[in-house]
Amino acid sequence: MLKQTAAAYPHLVRRYQVGQSTCFGYPIWALKISDHPEIDEDEPAILIDGMYHAREPLGNEICLAFIDYLLSNYGVEEKVTSLVNNYEIWIIPILNPEGYKYLVDNNLSSPWWRKNLRDNNNNGLIDPDYDGVDLNRNYDFNWTRLGSTTPASWTYQGPAPFTEKETQAKRDLTLNEKFVASVSYHSYGEVILYQWSWPDSGLRAPDDDVTWTIAMQTARRIPRLRREGIYSFQRQTAASQSGPWMYGVAGVLEFLVETGTSFIPLGPEIQEIVTDNLQGLFYLFDRLKGPGVRGKILDWKTKQPLEAVVSIIEKDDFRYIYPRRSHPQTGTFIRLLEPGEYTIKVSAPGYQSNWRKIQIKDKMEDVTLYLLSLEGVQPRFFNPETWRKSGQKR
Ligand SMILES: [Zn+2]
């Protein structure tokens, strides 16, 4: 299906194998949709994925519906054309292909399969009562705080962080593409999870104002089944799941959407859930246009792009999040912010740090920041002789 799509829209789509499943080596496919999909353009990138968990196929349905919507309305609907032209949209419909295949093949014996198929007891067989890792507990972030250490558990975290090839695939793609935001579709509960609530302390994420607003605005746009109100939203615990790692380590604002009211809904409900969830996704794309700051970091002398640590000093607390960096090839960074006054600090090894005050209103502010290389700069030591002389002059 993804292969045909890529072949049918070669000017808009590329299909990439971004990894493989842990036990059987099934390919994990991603589609990249953009106006020049064959090259890495300096455009904001976003990731949408589904099916961490085998029994949650709505994620796949939403991804496929979104792909179809984008491609069939490109050049027709102005909104879609501009999304495709201005973003790099990455979509992984099925992150857990071997778990999904197992579910489909063994519908009667294990209808609620969730994990991948890691052979936990190394006996060469699939033991549904013992094997498999919960891919959404395998991330290297507050590792001890959430997943189960019992292999038989549905939420078994795996032998160590990032042992699973599926989570490695998403990690590596993320570090490469530097997504601004991501949405991970699960089932069920009609709730949006955003980053985060720190374990024990309940401390909120440095970007809580932004993530809260996005979660709230997204939830408002997604009606519950049978139109009984709207989706709810809540903070996700900052532990070994995808979202906290994406945000804490990679600086990506990830939202987990628990779609629907059951793992595998009835036929007519699927269409409704999918269509409603696309509305939430369109809002997120809109929000990527601002408010916030989009910048470029350049070497003052050579005008070459630089990878630098870019922090908002009023917000960032590096006890909880990793430093955010500009793109090594383009020097670009994007930071979504709520309106207000902020100070950007930029630093890179071998350069003098630079600061800039910015005023964020209702759109994306563009800034270019130059860093002055320390190479060849003579350190100015305190010279008591000069000091004494200058003192005498007064
Ligand atoms: Zn799930």
Side-chain angles (χ1 to χ4, degrees), residues 266-377:
L266 301 170
E269 291 179 348
I270 296 176
Q271 190 55 49
E272 191 180 326
I273 295 168
V274 168
T275 311
D276 289 344
N277 268 279
L278 291 188
Q279 295 312 311
L281 209 43
F282 288 130
Y283 162 76
L284 180 64
F285 274 95
D286 244 17
R287 180 59 183 85
L288 293 183
K289 291 182 196 148
V293 58
R294 176 177 49 208
K296 234 178 185 356
I297 314 296
L298 302 174
D299 181 307
W300 182 79
K301 204 169 172 188
T302 66
K303 309 293 183 266
Q304 289 303 304
L306 285 178
E307 179 177 19
V309 169
V310 183
S311 59
I312 303 290
I313 60 176
E314 288 83 359
K315 305 184 82 165
D316 294 349
D317 185 337
F318 297 137
R319 286 173 301 172
Y320 301 98
I321 58 171
Y322 282 45
R324 278 57 174 124
R325 291 168 189 279
S326 55
H327 195 289
Q329 276 87 48
T330 60
T332 343
F333 69 91
I334 293 179
R335 187 80 184 251
L336 300 184
L337 297 165
E338 289 294 287
E341 258 187 38
Y342 302 93
T343 315
I344 308 179
K345 181 189 175 190
V346 185
S347 42
Y351 288 86
Q352 225 165 52
S353 297
N354 195 358
W355 282 263
R356 174 81 58 87
K357 283 259 180 217
I358 44 163
Q359 177 87 41
I360 302 296
K361 290 177 181 154
D362 55 357
K363 60 177 181 38
M364 198 60 94
E365 293 294 326
D366 283 298
V367 297
T368 305
L369 282 142
Y370 294 95
L371 289 185
L372 185 60
S373 171
L374 292 172
E375 204 178 307
V377 175

Side-chain angles (χ1 to χ4, degrees), residues 4 6 47 58 64 88 106 179 181 205 222 264 270 272 337 364 368:
Q4 283 94 300
L47 174 67
L58 276 170
L64 296 182
E88 303 205 321
N106 297 276
F179 301 113
I222 313 178
I264 300 176
I270 296 176
E272 191 180 326
L337 297 165
M364 198 60 94
T368 305

Side-chain angles (χ1 to χ4, degrees), residues 50-199:
M51 295 198 72
Y52 265 87
H53 296 137
R55 63 192 176 191
E56 301 170 13
L58 276 170
N60 181 34
E61 298 289 341
I62 293 170
C63 287
L64 296 182
F66 187 56
I67 292 168
D68 183 55
Y69 190 86
L70 290 180
L71 297 177
S72 51
N73 289 294
Y74 183 79
V76 180
E77 257 189 55
E78 169 53 32
K79 175 180 75 174
V80 172
T81 312
S82 123
L83 282 189
V84 173
N85 286 346
N86 296 310
Y87 295 97
E88 303 205 321
I89 305 166
W90 285 82
I91 303 171
I92 304 176
I94 303 177
L95 199 78
N96 180 9
E98 67 185 26
Y100 186 42
K101 184 167 188 311
Y102 182 70
L103 177 97
V104 172
D105 291 349
N106 297 276
N107 199 19
L108 294 176
S109 62
S110 186
W112 304 122
W113 192 254
R114 168 181 170 96
K115 304 185 278 185
N116 71 355
L117 296 175
R118 168 179 283 276
D119 190 7
N120 289 333
N121 54 7
N122 283 310
N123 66 352
L125 303 169
I126 301 172
D127 303 300
D129 55 352
Y130 199 77
D131 284 341
V133 168
D134 182 343
L135 298 178
N136 205 22
R137 300 290 185 277
N138 188 241
Y139 282 80
D140 191 8
F141 199 80
N142 285 343
W143 167 248
T144 58
R145 300 310 297 255
L146 187 70
S148 166
T149 52
T150 308
S153 164
W154 280 128
T155 56
Y156 175 49
Q157 61 183 356
F162 283 126
T163 44
E164 306 313 288
K165 291 182 180 170
E166 295 86 345
T167 53
Q168 292 166 16
K170 179 161 165 179
R171 174 196 65 191
D172 296 347
L173 182 69
T174 297
L175 294 176
N176 223 359
E177 296 302 322
K178 293 199 157 280
F179 301 113
V180 179
S182 57
V183 182
S184 194
Y185 286 105
H186 289 250
S187 295
Y188 56 93
E190 304 190 317
V191 57
I192 296 168
L193 303 184
Y194 65 100
Q195 309 312 318
W196 58 37
S197 170
W198 199 259

